[in-house]
């Protein structure tokens, strides 16, 4: 009986999160104009990078740079830009909840605060990523040409899922700092700059100086967009297990940090009277 009760309770909680995800998806489709503007911005960014890399390869007079061809670089950017533009601003949401006091009502809901935001975040990111990917693919086929992904494309959903999860966890660590500093957007700004550079969003890590490459490979930023994009455009079966393992390790490490910061923040909120 106890086991049946536990299963029923777990099923009830799972259903709640499913409905949260459905509501988030419905809200995304409710703001079609805003949704399309963000997607069209992706096309503008890709067109700018297209001109930049065309000039770079023409100036170098070579077919490949650091092992990447022009097509691979452009399709790499389609993946990274699609993922970055699909990621919601978590810090803004949590910061507003803390300032307005709405976070107190989130705590009394029959759902976990972090998991609630994770379901919202992933639901929103998933639909944005799909739309961005479709638009980016159309532009790529028209301007760049047919890609040669091989088996890398088959692994993109899994590695992108891990990348989005790590991005959520890192953003949640920053967002929970709102318990102490309230203003977390500055932290988010700095974090995004790390993601753009040594995180491999603007270009693959192989194009950086050796010292900076080593720094990037010891940090979690590479797991968010660099590994998904590289796996897609330059698939190496021998490195697949290592890439996924790296992502899982960082998910565990950062997940523990989120748990500790969240528990400390809730304690602080209770001590201060909410």
């Amino acid at each position: 009986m106890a086991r049946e009760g536990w299963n029923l309770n777990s099923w009830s909680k799972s259903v709640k999160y499913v409905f949260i995800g459905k509501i988030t998806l419905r809200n995304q489709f409710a703001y079609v104009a805003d949704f399309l503007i963000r997607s069209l911005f992706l096309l503008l960014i890709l067109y700018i990078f297209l001109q930049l890399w065309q000039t770079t390869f023409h100036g170098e007079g070579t077919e490949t740079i650091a092992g990447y061809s022009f097509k691979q670089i452009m399709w790499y950017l389609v993946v990274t830009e699609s993922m970055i533009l699909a990621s919601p601003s978590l810090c803004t949401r949590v910061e507003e909840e803390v300032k307005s006091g709405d976070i107190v009502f989130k705590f009394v809901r029959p759902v976990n605060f972090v998991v609630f935001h994770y379901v919202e975040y992933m639901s929103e990111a998933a639909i944005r990523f799909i739309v961005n990917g479709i638009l980016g693919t159309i532009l790529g086929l028209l301007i760049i040409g047919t890609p040669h992904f091989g088996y890398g494309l088959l692994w993109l959903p899994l590695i992108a899922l891990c990348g989005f999860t790590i991005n959520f966890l890192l953003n949640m660590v920053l967002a929970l700092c709102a318990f102490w500093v309230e203003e977390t957007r500055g932290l988010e700004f700095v974090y995004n700059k790390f993601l753009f550079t040594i995180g491999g969003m603007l270009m693959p890590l192989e194009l950086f100086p050796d010292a900076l490459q080593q720094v990037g490979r010891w940090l979690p930023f590479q797991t968010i967009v660099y590994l998904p994009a590289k796996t897609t455009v330059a698939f190496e079966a021998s490195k697949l297990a290592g890439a996924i393992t790296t992502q899982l390790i960082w998910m565990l490490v950062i997940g523990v940090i989120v748990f500790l910061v969240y528990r400390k923040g809730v304690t602080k909120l209770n001590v201060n009277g909410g």
Side-chain angles (χ1 to χ4, degrees):
M1 290 294 293
R3 183 178 180 84
E4 291 180 1
W6 182 83
N7 289 335
L8 182 62
N9 186 46
S10 299
W11 170 253
S12 177
K13 289 183 178 179
S14 299
V15 171
K16 292 175 184 177
Y17 293 124
V18 170
F19 277 105
I20 291 171
K22 286 183 177 180
I23 293 172
T24 302
L25 291 175
R26 192 178 304 162
N27 290 340
Q28 285 298 298
F29 288 114
Y31 300 97
V32 178
D34 181 54
F35 195 80
L36 292 177
I37 289 174
R38 282 197 303 264
S39 299
L40 291 175
F41 183 62
L42 168 66
L43 303 183
L44 175 62
I45 292 175
L46 291 178
Y47 179 76
I48 292 173
F49 276 117
L50 175 69
Q51 302 302 315
L52 173 64
W53 282 106
Q54 277 183 336
T55 303
T56 302
F57 272 88
H58 179 73
E60 291 290 328
T62 180
E63 293 293 323
T64 61
I65 297 178
Y68 290 86
S69 66
F70 172 72
K71 277 189 177 182
Q72 284 179 310
I73 288 288
M74 290 309 304
W75 284 107
Y76 175 95
L77 289 170
V78 169
V79 177
T80 60
E81 294 293 341
S82 295
M83 290 187 67
I84 290 298
L85 291 178
S87 301
S89 177
L90 187 63
C91 286
T92 302
R93 296 180 182 180
V94 177
E95 179 183 305
E96 291 300 324
E97 289 176 358
V98 172
K99 288 181 177 180
S100 64
D102 290 343
I103 194 168
V104 176
F105 299 102
K106 293 286 180 69
F107 287 156
V108 298
R109 289 180 178 179
V111 291
N112 181 273
F113 176 80
V114 175
V115 178
F116 172 84
H117 276 289
Y118 177 72
V119 173
E120 271 198 334
Y121 181 96
M122 295 301 290
S123 299
E124 189 172 338
I127 188 63
R128 287 186 184 183
F129 182 52
I130 291 172
V131 173
N132 290 343
I134 292 173
L135 292 177
T137 299
I138 293 173
L139 179 66
L141 292 174
L142 292 175
I143 301 179
I144 307 169
T146 305
H148 302 287
F149 291 149
Y151 292 108
L153 188 62
L154 298 177
W155 290 98
L156 177 60
L158 173 61
I159 299 185
L161 173 64
C162 293
F164 278 121
T165 299
I166 295 171
N167 197 28
F168 166 81
L169 292 172
L170 285 170
N171 273 280
M172 180 54 77
V173 172
L174 300 179
L176 291 175
C177 290
F179 285 118
W180 292 272
V181 298
E182 289 194 358
E183 294 287 345
T184 60
R185 298 181 195 185
L187 299 175
E188 183 183 39
F189 177 83
V190 174
Y191 165 76
N192 285 331
K193 297 306 169 283
F194 279 115
L195 195 58
F196 294 170
T197 51
I198 58 176
M201 190 207 78
L202 296 176
M203 65 181 73
L205 292 184
E206 289 82 359
L207 274 68
F208 286 91
D210 291 339
L212 200 54
Q213 285 187 43
Q214 295 304 316
V215 172
R217 295 186 193 284
W218 281 99
L219 296 174
F221 307 116
Q222 58 152 337
T223 63
I224 297 171
V225 293
Y226 166 72
L227 289 182
K230 183 183 179 181
T231 301
T232 304
V233 305
F235 178 73
E236 296 180 64
S238 60
K239 295 184 178 180
L240 178 62
I244 296 176
T245 300
T246 300
Q247 289 184 311
L248 293 177
I249 291 174
W250 278 115
M251 285 169 60
L252 178 61
V253 171
I254 304 169
V256 171
I257 295 174
V258 169
F259 171 77
L260 295 175
V261 175
Y262 173 72
R263 188 172 65 175
K264 188 71 174 178
V266 172
T267 302
K268 181 180 186 299
L269 185 67
N270 291 334
V271 168
N272 292 340

